[in-house]
C-alpha cells in the first residue's frame, strides 16, 4: 500500500489556490450575468406575446357579452311588442 506524503501549504501554493478560486468565481459571475441577460430578454418576449393574447381575449369576451346583451334586449323588445299587439 502506497503512503501518500503529506504536503505542506506554502505561501506560494496558497496564493495559487487563491488565484484559481478568484478566477473560478469571476467566470461564474460572468456566466450568471449572461444568463440574467438572456432570461430578461426571453421574459420580455413572453410578456409581449401574453399582452397580445390577453388583449385578443379581452376583445373576444367583450364581443360575446355585447352580443348576449343585444340578444336579450331584442328578445325582451319582441316580447313587449307581442304583448301590445295581442292586447
Amino acid at each position: 500500500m502506497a503512503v501518500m506524503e503529506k504536503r505542506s501549504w506554502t505561501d506560494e501554493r496558497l496564493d495559487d489556490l487563491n488565484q484559481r478560486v478568484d478566477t473560478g468565481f469571476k467566470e461564474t459571475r460572468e456566466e450568471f450575468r449572461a444568463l440574467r441577460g438572456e432570461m430578461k430578454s426571453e421574459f420580455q418576449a413572453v410578456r409581449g406575446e401574453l399582452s397580445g393574447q390577453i388583449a385578443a381575449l379581452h376583445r373576444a369576451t367583450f364581443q360575446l357579452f355585447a352580443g348576449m346583451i343585444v340578444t336579450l334586449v331584442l328578445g325582451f323588445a319582441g316580447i313587449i311588442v307581442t304583448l301590445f299587439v295581442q292586447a
Side-chain angles (χ1 to χ4, degrees):
M1 175 186 311
V3 176
M4 295 182 63
E5 69 179 75
K6 186 176 179 182
R7 290 187 178 184
S8 62
W9 286 92
T10 62
D11 287 343
E12 292 82 26
R13 287 188 68 213
L14 287 172
D15 290 340
D16 181 50
L17 176 63
N18 188 28
Q19 180 64 34
R20 284 189 290 153
V21 169
D22 287 344
T23 302
F25 278 122
K26 182 180 179 184
E27 291 171 359
T28 302
R29 281 192 296 269
E30 290 171 357
E31 289 176 13
F32 274 119
R33 277 192 199 107
L35 182 62
R36 268 191 228 128
E38 183 179 336
M39 287 175 63
K40 185 177 181 181
S41 65
E42 290 294 323
F43 284 141
Q44 286 174 345
V46 169
R47 284 182 184 141
E49 290 175 16
L50 282 178
S51 172
Q53 291 176 355
I54 289 172
L57 179 63
H58 183 262
R59 218 175 9 262
T61 304
F62 177 76
Q63 290 172 349
L64 175 71
F65 285 119
M68 289 172 59
I69 290 173
V70 168
T71 302
L72 284 172
V73 168
L74 290 176
F76 285 131
I79 291 171
I80 292 171
V81 168
T82 304
L83 290 175
F84 282 125
V85 170
Q86 289 180 357

